[in-house]
Amino acid sequence: MSVFILIPLLPLMAACAIALGGRRLGEASHRVAIPAVVLSFLLSVAAFVVIVSSGPQHIQLYRLLQSGSLVVDLNLYIDQLTVLLLPLVTGVSAVVHVYSSRYMIGDPRYSRFFAVIAFFTFAMVTLVMSNNLLLTYMCWELMGICSYLLISHWSERKAACQAATKAFLVNAVADVGLGMGIILTFFTFGTLDIQQILASAESMSGQSTNLLNCVGLDLPVHTTTLIVLLLFIGAMGKSAQVPFHVWLPFAMEAPTPVSALIHAATMVNAGPFLLVRFSPLLVLSPSAMAVIAIIGATTALFAAVVALTQTDIKKLLAYSTISQIGFMIMACGVGAFVAAIFHLLAHGFLKGFLFLSTGNALRSVASHSGHEPAPSHGSHARRKWSVTMGALVFACVPPFILFSGPYEAMWTVHPFPAAKFTFWAIGLMTVFFTAMYLFRGINSLFHPGPAGPDSGTAPSLIQPELFSIPHVIAVAVGGLGLVGILVVLWSGFADFLAPAVGRPLGALSAIQQTSVSSAWLLLPFLAAVSGWGLAYILQVNPKSSFVSRSALAKSLYVLFLNKFYVDEIYDVYVVRPTLRFSEWLWRDIDVLAIDRAVMGTATVSANLAQWLWRVIDIRGTQGPIDRIGRIAANASHSFEDMEPRTLQHHLAVVICGLGLAIGLLYWLVL
């Protein structure tokens, strides 16, 4: 067996060791977790070298199930896509583990925290390496459970518990689609082996499924399209795409290391990875790709404009993550799978850096506790410089790759004529707004102003110093150097990843025939610089700006501030009706039907016991029979007093409803 099996096994072993010996390990738990994850990262780098030289590798584990034609082999597969994601997952996780060893000092659940994040790392690594849809689904659900435990880590806070419950329920609803997609995939291809499915995908492209066959109607849908859309529903939940985006901003109730892990290396990256893994299936369904592109573009633009109004730096970064993941989903929808993975890698490393740097910056400016000692001027300046540089790179560098070179040609292969212009416009607007909210967030973080909500005075306006001559020179030199390196690496990156992704029809000829003008290269850069410039003008002189005087701008600001009222709409049309339905089930079904049946059974038992006492007069039986009668009577009264009012009962009803929904969909489709 290959040594690379240790990549997922080491974090799993660390999680089990900490869980079993947590009390004894205490605040030394990180000494078990950190070496395991670091070694997993080193093995990931070694796997990259091996795949570059020797090609993809299969790792045989064991046969889980064999029943007729159903054969489930839990095997791992390492190819070009896998070895690009593994260093990201294990590398960022290793940094988060090291960071957490200091950040979580004094936490009463210190060992539990490290056990869960090590298990979280295992779930994501196994998902990336999985070659079986059942194993993929198991790891998918394990990540959801780990996210629930990590978001609710500070369970004494009501907001953390509510955020964890919200994340769990939203992902549970979306995972119904993923489960249905896996079932339909098995019935279509006769296997759960991912590589076999992708190899035979083109031969199955002409099949259709009648969705209304059960009611005698005819509604044929291409099976490939239906599979892709069902899998995409699961990806929408994990990657927080509209309308399943509502859980991610509230996940900021988790400790900062958890935010970095979820946003940079795990959870949200699962959606783009799943789409790219099944890209040979995606390219067979232009309709499904159009849906994916539209939802990704909508999410990218929606989250970018909402981020403009966020005052909490962690929520700003949360909406930034939603926007950037939406951009990756849009790239998958237009067939630019290689660029989507490139964006995912760049975003993962930079977002991890920004979250961890923001955690340090929040402590340095005492944003969370007013009694912390003020940092030295030199330390504050260094942290300001590091976070500012991260924001500048995040805003200005990725557009050079995402809108230029071979990637630009990919926009021409979508079957809809207006797609190229539409997606280009949305992409450039996303870059523009990204630069604006990053400038605003960094400036508000380091110039918060002395006024608070109870001070009665307006916050002071401090002119930003981000455009000083040293900053401009350093950013220009560093940015140009980094862009040069990325452009040089791009060709090799695209050639390396190409065998592992699907290629849209006509993409090769489009790339060969398209010549990219240098003017196109300047558009994304100008969009980013314009966003920074407008944010600078609004920050320096807000009173004279058009935004401060326009009634329309104020209305839009209120709309963006309230996140388009999506949460309120969910509360009115989803949450409250579900709770009322649960109460109806409890009142009319549980109390009136089930409880009465149980109470009737208890009454009959009591009457039978009394009859036996009167009729069968055997010495020594009177005492036990009396006790039986009293127990039965007390049981009947207890059933009358039972009132399930806890959240667990409502969750049980919701889960039962989801089970019924899965069964109904299964019946309708198959």
Side-chain angles (χ1 to χ4, degrees), residues 136-347:
T136 298
Y137 189 74
M138 291 167 59
C139 296
W140 195 275
E141 296 302 322
L142 287 176
M143 284 199 299
I145 296 173
C146 290
S147 66
Y148 175 85
L149 296 174
L150 291 172
I151 295 171
S152 62
H153 178 76
W154 290 324
S155 56
E156 63 275 4
R157 294 165 51 182
K158 183 179 179 180
C161 296
Q162 291 177 336
T165 302
K166 192 169 193 175
F168 177 80
L169 290 179
V170 171
N171 279 278
V173 172
D175 290 348
V176 173
L178 179 64
M180 288 299 304
I182 292 175
I183 293 172
L184 184 58
T185 301
F186 172 74
F187 275 91
T188 302
F189 295 94
T191 180
L192 293 174
D193 187 278
I194 294 177
Q195 296 307 311
Q196 293 183 20
I197 293 170
L198 299 181
S200 58
E202 192 169 355
S203 63
M204 299 289 183
S205 60
Q207 291 190 7
S208 297
T209 299
N210 186 7
L211 289 179
L212 300 181
N213 183 52
C214 57
V215 294
L217 299 177
D218 188 21
L219 183 61
V221 177
H222 287 292
T223 306
T224 303
T225 300
L226 188 58
I227 290 174
V228 170
L229 291 178
L230 289 173
L231 295 178
F232 178 57
I233 292 175
M236 288 171 63
K238 280 289 185 289
S239 296
Q241 299 296 286
V242 173
F244 297 109
H245 68 283
V246 292
W247 68 269
L248 190 57
F250 292 91
M252 297 300 99
E253 293 293 335
T256 297
V258 175
S259 301
L261 191 62
I262 290 177
H263 289 249
T266 61
M267 197 76 169
V268 297
N269 289 340
F273 167 77
L274 185 69
L275 295 180
V276 176
R277 172 58 77 197
F278 284 90
S279 56
L281 201 62
L282 263 68
V283 298
L284 300 176
S285 177
S287 300
M289 290 183 67
V291 173
I292 293 171
I294 291 171
I295 291 179
T298 302
T299 304
L301 191 57
F302 162 82
V305 296
V306 170
L308 292 173
T309 62
Q310 298 302 304
T311 56
D312 183 271
I313 187 65
K314 290 183 68 176
K315 284 197 174 182
L316 186 149
L317 290 176
Y319 279 103
S320 169
T321 297
I322 296 174
S323 177
Q324 297 301 312
I325 297 295
F327 207 105
M328 299 172 205
I329 297 293
M330 180 178 67
C332 293
V334 299
F337 303 110
V338 175
I341 292 298
F342 184 90
H343 191 178
L344 186 150
L345 296 174
H347 173 266

